[in-house]
Amino acid sequence: MGVNTNNLAATRLPLFPLNTQIKDGRLLIGGFSVEELAQEFGTPLYLYDQSTLDDALAQYRAALQAEYPAQSGLTYAGKAFLSLAMAQWAARRGLMIDCTGAGEITIAVAAGAMPEQLLVHGVSKSWEDLQAAVAHAGTLVVDHLGELERLIELNKNSSRLNFPDLWLRLRPGMAVETHSYTQTGQDDSKFGLSALEFLQALEKAQKAGLRVTGLHFHQGSHFHDPTPIAPALDLALDLIVETRQSLGWMPQTLCPGGGWGTPYHEDDLPHQTIGEYVRFVAQHLMQGCRERNLPLPRLHLEPGRSMVARAGVAVYRVEAVKRTATRRWLLLDGGMADNPRPALYRARYTALPVSQPERPATDAAWLAGPYCESGDVLIEALPLPEIYPGELLAVPVSGAYQLSMASNYNGARRPAVIWLKGGKVTLIRQRESLEDLYRRDLPLPS
Ligand code: LLP
């Protein structure tokens, strides 16, 4: 096999948090030696670098300001990673937080998010989800007509003066190009309202005296080409022309969702920037409004991954090295329990040794976890130098949809999470203990 023996570090460092460097043969993030962090907090370890989060947010804000002359806003899609600290970061930065159901609402509220910062999503919200939304959230995105019936009922019995504003989620009939498991915009998707249902929902909500202030759609997650947003925007704007005429309604806010992709692997570089994505959306929206003589709505974006993925790094210890007929296996102390994405979506990651990361590659390695199934392979065929048991490997772009989808498979204890900011490290989530594994269990009667 042809192996890239170039300086691995030079090609992979751009995937790590902004202030990652190699000094005296050691990988440093935010000025911290990753090796020392691993010693102090154990492995597998997840770290988040706040300056990288702040930078992604600044890119979004600058692009919206530069490209869109009317009002705009941003929601952080909490499903990518939500913890008390993460929700605090989003709330303090003035972001809205997209919460899927009562669970994420509870975390965001505990973090101090204000009602106007809470936006609630969910393809089939339970009564509990809806009640939590009505109690705490400023905005709720309606996904289907049955949900609207429930909301009308809740509104009748609600003592809250400020019942949430409603956005209606349109299913535009076209998805973005991505793994089929994360496509959501297509006709047959379980998400959202058809154009006809949208009109019915709007009329019903208006009759019931509910405030509908937004039109939302989301075509899928982790796309790299924004082109399919254009026809979806056109469809949405055509619908608005119709609602203006027939119901006298126009949305204050138009939200084409989130989903902008992120480079995970050196082969994904260079990658279009957040700014280029925002420009595409803004320009098409402005043009569409001009053509239809519509005023510009407030443009709202809802990124998760592109905000948080690069800020996160997973650090694993190599427990064993094994050679089989054609493969060099590096067996790590984590894998599909903390990161099911390779198994679920064939997601492709990269890694660097924490010590002497500038060593040239010798040959390809397969990085696998300790779990009892052959699908537990984190990275396939990755050029790496000779690696010995006990060494640490750092996997960049680990901030999104890893911990939020982590499990206790094979009795895995979900990892500790630390937060790096301005030369300070804070433990923001404890590693699960052995006892945690059966804390909710109860014995059989004797
Ligand atoms: N808005 C809505 C309505 C969504 O459903 C999602 C993601 C987002 C925004 C944020 O998408 P992002 O900007 O993070 O791509 N587990 C999968 C991703 C599932 C995405 C679910 N919805 C993965 O690991 O790739």
Side-chain angles (χ1 to χ4, degrees):
M1 172 178 304
V3 163
N4 171 12
T5 53
N6 293 336
N7 187 340
L8 300 181
T11 56
R12 295 176 189 168
L13 272 185
L15 297 160
F16 279 81
L18 281 180
N19 44 8
T20 303
Q21 39 170 180
I22 296 165
K23 213 169 157 192
D24 305 326
R26 298 184 316 158
L27 190 68
L28 303 186
I29 300 180
F32 288 95
S33 148
V34 176
E35 177 144 25
E36 284 169 20
L37 292 173
Q39 264 158 17
E40 181 174 351
F41 296 99
T43 51
L45 178 67
Y46 275 71
L47 64 86
Y48 280 87
D49 173 59
Q50 185 176 307
S51 64
T52 307
L53 283 172
D54 286 338
D55 179 74
L57 173 56
Q59 287 183 52
Y60 267 106
R61 286 198 165 140
L64 282 167
Q65 195 154 32
E67 304 295 341
Y68 195 66
Q71 282 193 349
S72 59
L74 285 167
T75 297
Y76 167 60
K79 60 201 76 165
F81 172 60
L82 202 64
S83 74
L84 216 48
M86 189 65 210
Q88 280 177 315
W89 174 82
R92 288 175 190 172
R93 292 288 181 270
L95 289 165
M96 286 172 79
I97 305 175
D98 150 21
C99 299
T100 305
E104 290 185 353
I105 291 172
T106 304
I107 298 171
V109 169
M114 304 300 287
E116 60 271 22
Q117 295 186 291
L118 294 190
L119 176 139
V120 178
H121 267 299
V123 63
S124 64
K125 304 174 192 74
S126 65
W127 278 109
E128 187 192 20
D129 296 331
L130 291 171
Q131 276 159 348
V134 167
H136 299 290
T139 310
L140 185 148
V141 187
V142 177
D143 200 281
H144 61 94
L145 286 160
E147 182 182 322
L148 186 62
E149 305 282 357
R150 288 180 167 189
L151 285 166
I152 291 171
E153 206 175 316
L154 281 173
N155 185 41
K156 279 191 204 137
N157 305 323
S158 169
S159 56
R160 196 178 143 192
L161 290 176
N162 277 334
F163 197 79
D165 285 353
L166 304 184
W167 294 0
L168 303 182
R169 177 168 179 169
L170 175 68
R171 186 173 64 246
M174 48 214 120
V176 285
E177 210 165 294
T178 183
H179 192 284
S180 64
Y181 290 1
T182 57
Q183 288 180 314
T184 53
Q186 69 278 18
D187 266 331
D188 265 343
S189 158
K190 67 175 179 176
F191 296 94
L193 301 149
S194 68
L196 182 65
E197 289 168 332
F198 188 100
L199 291 170
Q200 291 167 342
L202 182 58
E203 200 173 348
K204 204 177 266 246
Q206 281 185 329
K207 276 205 182 116
L210 295 177
R211 256 190 333 270
V212 183
T213 59
L215 184 156
H216 175 280
F217 63 85
H218 173 77
Q219 295 168 272
S221 184
H222 196 41
F223 61 90
H224 312 276
D225 174 7
T227 311
I229 297 177
L233 277 173
D234 287 337
L235 185 100
L237 294 175
D238 286 344
L239 194 60
I240 293 169
V241 169
E242 197 176 333
T243 61
R244 179 166 70 169
Q245 217 164 43
S246 61
L247 298 166
W249 180 87
M250 278 191 300
Q252 291 162 25
T253 301
L254 193 153
C255 177
W260 180 240
T262 297
Y264 279 82
H265 188 281
E266 53 265 36
D267 290 352
D268 302 335
L269 294 171
H271 190 272
Q272 276 196 68
T273 62
I274 288 170
E276 287 165 306
Y277 154 64
V278 173
R279 181 178 317 133
F280 181 89
V281 174
Q283 286 189 349
H284 199 83
L285 180 56
M286 289 189 293
Q287 186 190 331
C289 287
R290 222 175 13 248
E291 285 166 2
R292 294 168 181 80
N293 205 15
L294 289 169
L296 289 182
R298 184 166 190 271
L299 169 60
H300 202 95
L301 298 175
E302 199 169 61
R305 184 189 327 261
S306 53
M307 195 85 94
V308 78
R310 186 182 170 192
V313 176
V315 185
Y316 301 99
R317 200 170 285 282
V318 178
E319 297 285 8
V321 179
K322 210 182 238 189
R323 282 197 184 263
T324 52
T326 60
R327 290 184 180 178
R328 169 165 66 123
W329 287 101
L330 305 179
L331 303 177
L332 314 178
D333 57 2
M336 74 184 298
D338 59 274
N339 182 5
R341 301 194 64 260
L344 273 173
Y345 319 112
R346 299 205 65 82
R348 198 162 166 241
Y349 287 80
T350 190
L352 270 182
V354 164
S355 170
Q356 305 296 340
E358 288 173 306
R359 285 174 281 167
T362 51
D363 60 345
W366 271 251
L367 281 59
Y371 307 110
C372 294
E373 66 175 81
S374 294
D376 173 27
V377 178
L378 267 190
I379 311 182
E380 293 183 3
L382 183 71
L384 277 175
E386 198 64 45
I387 300 284
Y388 300 94
E391 275 200 53
L392 294 165
L393 292 176
V395 176
V397 204
S398 288
Y401 302 106
Q402 295 185 199
L403 293 175
S404 57
M405 296 200 296
S407 78
N408 294 118
Y409 187 44
N410 286 178
R413 278 142 283 156
R414 284 174 293 182
V417 187
I418 58 176
W419 186 272
L420 309 183
K421 181 206 163 191
K424 241 180 93 180
V425 53
T426 307
L427 181 65
I428 61 161
R429 182 177 283 170
Q430 290 176 335
R431 183 178 307 286
E432 276 181 322
S433 68
L434 288 168
E435 292 70 29
D436 285 335
L437 292 175
Y438 60 91
R439 203 175 290 288
R440 290 176 302 126
D441 293 358
L442 298 166
L444 287 174
S446 49

